[in-house]
Amino acid sequence: MTLHTSSSPAWRLETQSGYASDRSGAKWQRWKAGENIGRYEPEQPWHAGVRAQTDAGKRFERVRLVDDPPSEGQRFLLASGLGNVEAGEDIRNMYRSDAQRIGLPDYDFWLFDSQIVVRFVFGDDGSTLGVHVAEDAETVVRACQVRDAAWHYATPTTEFQQRVRPTV
């Protein structure tokens, strides 16, 4: 199975209030120290990979759910999001209350090529415990519906950040 082979977007829904992988990284410590972490860093593996893939015509999109007020983990993601956007990713945000109103799920997943769903399983501390991969029609169609609804209502990161200032 090869993930993300076409020009269809690799699309992610992020629903967690925070991620253990973020809190354990050097970027988190830099952010906590007050450093601007919202810049494109060509040597950073995610930025380099997204840039290479988008230069090849592939798209990366995600919608992040944000509490009101944002959790510490969400403030970190808002602060770091502009670097990902500059790398080529289209990140949008929406308040969790709006996501609940339109019936979005409360779990994270990637949707690859509108054919493969990779659903995350998280522990109570935000650590990734594993993933479930599905290619059945019912799961894929539901993920496509979630993507379309979320994308319609979500706000691009730069606009969303003007409403919510990510402060430490």
Side-chain angles (χ1 to χ4, degrees):
M1 171 175 65
T2 302
L3 298 178
H4 199 38
T5 58
S6 74
S7 61
S8 295
W11 191 87
R12 169 96 185 253
L13 178 66
E14 290 185 349
T15 66
Q16 304 298 300
S17 295
Y19 297 89
S21 59
D22 291 336
R23 291 188 300 274
S24 66
K27 196 172 191 178
W28 178 272
Q29 297 307 319
R30 292 178 17 225
W31 175 70
K32 292 291 283 185
E35 186 177 325
N36 175 5
I37 59 166
R39 322 182 281 284
Y40 169 63
E41 301 174 50
E43 70 285 349
Q44 197 263 358
W46 181 258
H47 288 180
V50 167
R51 176 59 59 90
Q53 295 295 307
T54 56
D55 284 350
K58 297 179 182 175
R59 297 184 350 237
F60 285 82
E61 302 170 348
R62 78 176 70 211
V63 169
R64 291 178 168 156
L65 303 189
V66 180
D67 296 314
D68 189 12
S71 68
E72 182 180 46
Q74 292 163 344
R75 290 192 319 269
F76 169 80
L77 291 171
L78 287 167
S80 66
L82 292 177
N84 289 24
V85 169
E86 191 177 341
E89 197 174 348
D90 190 348
I91 301 175
R92 300 184 183 192
N93 302 271
M94 69 186 312
Y95 285 109
R96 185 176 309 281
S97 59
D98 294 330
Q100 291 168 338
R101 182 179 48 77
I102 64 170
L104 297 187
D106 62 354
Y107 54 84
D108 285 35
F109 68 90
W110 275 105
L111 174 62
F112 294 102
D113 300 327
S114 298
Q115 297 176 21
I116 301 167
V117 177
V118 179
R119 181 177 170 175
F120 291 83
V121 178
F122 291 100
D124 292 338
D125 66 348
S127 60
T128 305
L129 301 177
V131 297
H132 298 283
V133 178
E135 298 180 70
D136 64 281
E138 182 178 345
T139 302
V140 170
V141 166
R142 174 65 181 139
C144 290
Q145 291 168 333
V146 166
R147 176 199 59 207
D148 293 348
W151 203 247
H152 178 76
Y153 288 103
T155 303
T157 292
T158 51
E159 291 176 38
F160 194 83
Q161 283 189 354
Q162 292 172 8
R163 294 185 214 158
V164 178
R165 288 288 171 204
T167 57
V168 177

